[in-house]
Amino acid sequence: MTAASVWSLLLPAIDQAERESMLPGWLPAAAGMVLGVFFLAVLDGMLPYLKRKQPVQDAVWRQNTLLMTAITLHNVPEGMAVGLAFALAANGEGAVGAMALALGIGIQNFPEGAAVALPLRQEGQSRLRAFTGGTLSGAVEPVFGILVVLIAAWAHPMMPWLLSFAAGAMLYVVVEELVPQAHSRAGTCGFVGGFLIMMVLDVALG
């Protein structure tokens, strides 16, 4: 998730802002990231009140909800990026690049879906419900991709903000929930291994 936040979200946000905005490239990325962190922090504070049937101390449910929310938010601007790429391709700009982007993001969704499904399964959910949760977290991509094709002119200037917003949400979950629980040698190795895998996927296929 950390690697995806950097290579899939923050760096593209900075790059697009520098090319197409009169603002410094870092400004939309920084502001969007802060908004994403704030949104997840507010959601985190509200979760005990959203599930009254279980005790406030139900940390597993809370962590899984934050994780699924962050990954789903991360998939929204990725789907929009694919839709925008195909909208530009319809005007004769980079059809091959649009297909490569769609393929890369599609492959990248496998480990992201697993990051949602596996914790749900460990929580005690059935295989079907865990699979459905992982699938739904990525189902927002085609929905928002189609939406952006219809409103490409409006969505394009918003992309740096949306990308960095999703990055902030993901980084909040990593720092608040995942890193403290992975504080061991095996956890450190897993973090580094996951970072390398996502970095390679994002750079090689993005």
Side-chain angles (χ1 to χ4, degrees):
M1 292 175 69
T2 306
S5 297
V6 176
W7 273 275
S8 290
L9 301 172
L10 286 175
L11 292 181
I14 293 170
D15 181 63
Q16 182 176 334
E18 288 178 342
R19 287 186 287 107
E20 302 176 9
S21 173
M22 298 184 65
L23 298 172
W26 57 265
L27 183 56
M33 188 178 76
V34 170
L35 289 173
V37 170
F38 178 75
F39 175 80
L40 257 288
V42 171
L43 177 63
D44 192 6
M46 292 174 59
L47 286 179
Y49 304 100
L50 297 178
K51 194 170 186 181
R52 299 179 184 276
K53 293 182 180 180
Q54 292 197 18
V56 174
Q57 292 79 12
D58 191 353
V60 174
W61 174 82
R62 172 177 161 273
Q63 177 181 305
N64 289 345
T65 302
L66 287 174
L67 182 63
M68 187 168 183
T69 301
I71 291 181
T72 303
L73 285 173
H74 156 260
N75 285 331
V76 169
E78 284 193 346
M80 295 178 73
V82 173
L84 185 60
F86 277 96
L88 295 173
N91 297 324
E93 300 181 32
V96 175
M99 288 186 285
L101 178 63
L103 177 63
I105 289 179
I107 293 174
Q108 178 182 288
N109 281 341
F110 283 100
E112 291 173 356
V116 172
L118 291 176
L120 290 176
R121 180 62 177 158
Q122 291 176 344
E123 184 185 345
Q125 302 289 343
S126 66
R127 291 180 180 176
L128 178 60
R129 293 192 67 174
F131 175 80
T132 302
T135 302
L136 289 177
S137 70
V140 297
E141 285 192 3
V143 173
F144 279 86
I146 294 171
L147 181 63
V148 165
V149 169
L150 300 177
I151 57 170
W154 173 86
H156 190 56
M158 296 295 297
M159 287 303 296
W161 298 85
L162 294 169
L163 290 166
S164 54
F165 179 92
M170 292 185 70
L171 289 174
Y172 176 89
V173 176
V174 170
V175 175
E176 183 75 10
E177 297 295 329
L178 303 183
V179 169
Q181 293 195 22
H183 189 58
S184 64
R185 181 166 297 176
T188 300
C189 292
F191 179 88
V192 173
F195 188 95
L196 289 174
I197 291 170
M198 290 304 298
M199 180 185 71
V200 171
L201 285 174
D202 283 331
V203 175
L205 301 175

